[in-house]
Amino acid sequence: MATRQLARSVVLQSLYEWDFFGQKDDLEKIVDRNLEEFAPGIDEPEFARKIAEGVKKHIEAIDAVITKAAPEWPLERIAIIDRNALRIGLYELLYANPEEVPPKVAINEAIEIVKNYGGPNSGKFINGVLGTIFKELEAVNGETPAAEQPKSE
């Protein structure tokens, strides 16, 4: 498994645990523990930490985008794996440096990770939601969505 794909898997596992327990635990400690256990010696542990920290920092905005893009699926009814794969994909789509993670890569990685951990229809669901958001952002910006987003992360 590629380093960044492994990092995203660790982030997904960490977000799952954090979300499952009501977002009360220390996400940073969960990520560090999971990196040590599931990805010892990973080349870019800071990549995983940056995604987890970014999702946590922007969770309200990310969840609002999910709610708007999938109104027939209340956030609390979306499977925890799917919800957190969407959060990772949206964080990378909206807030990551597009030169580091191009928008289509962010979408594809979210789809691939949920195919490994989600249900049989999870990939289609993630593709539909992220694809819709990508098209809307493209229409608004007239270009790739992340190009106009903050690059402070």
Side-chain angles (χ1 to χ4, degrees):
M1 184 179 286
T3 297
R4 289 191 167 194
Q5 191 174 35
L6 177 58
R8 287 181 184 96
S9 292
V10 169
V11 172
L12 182 65
Q13 293 167 334
S14 301
L15 288 171
Y16 183 101
E17 179 180 338
W18 181 67
D19 200 8
F20 184 82
F21 290 108
Q23 301 176 1
K24 293 179 176 130
D25 294 338
D26 186 344
L27 181 58
E28 292 79 16
K29 286 182 182 176
I30 295 169
V31 170
D32 286 341
R33 183 190 71 231
N34 287 339
L35 281 169
E36 186 176 317
E37 185 172 342
F38 301 112
I42 191 171
D43 291 341
E44 297 181 89
E46 66 281 349
F47 181 75
R49 290 184 187 105
K50 183 164 63 167
I51 292 172
E53 182 181 300
V55 168
K56 183 178 178 183
K57 178 180 177 182
H58 299 286
I59 196 158
E60 288 181 22
I62 289 169
D63 285 355
V65 171
I66 294 169
T67 300
K68 183 179 176 199
E72 63 283 354
W73 286 95
L75 199 61
E76 63 279 355
R77 292 198 52 218
I78 297 173
I80 295 176
I81 287 290
D82 296 359
R83 180 170 59 230
N84 286 294
L86 279 170
R87 287 172 174 160
I88 291 169
L90 278 171
Y91 166 74
E92 290 192 304
L93 184 64
L94 298 173
Y95 299 100
N97 180 342
E99 293 173 10
E100 183 179 4
V101 181
K104 290 183 180 181
V105 170
I107 293 168
N108 188 56
E109 288 295 324
I111 293 166
E112 290 303 313
I113 198 169
V114 83
K115 282 182 181 178
N116 290 328
Y117 298 100
N121 296 317
S122 295
K124 292 177 185 175
F125 177 69
I126 300 299
N127 186 40
V129 173
L130 292 179
T132 298
I133 293 165
F134 178 75
K135 288 175 188 168
E136 288 178 13
L137 290 171
E138 242 182 351
V140 168
N141 294 334
E143 53 189 59
T144 40
E148 296 296 322
Q149 295 299 322
K151 296 177 184 162
S152 62
E153 310 274 345

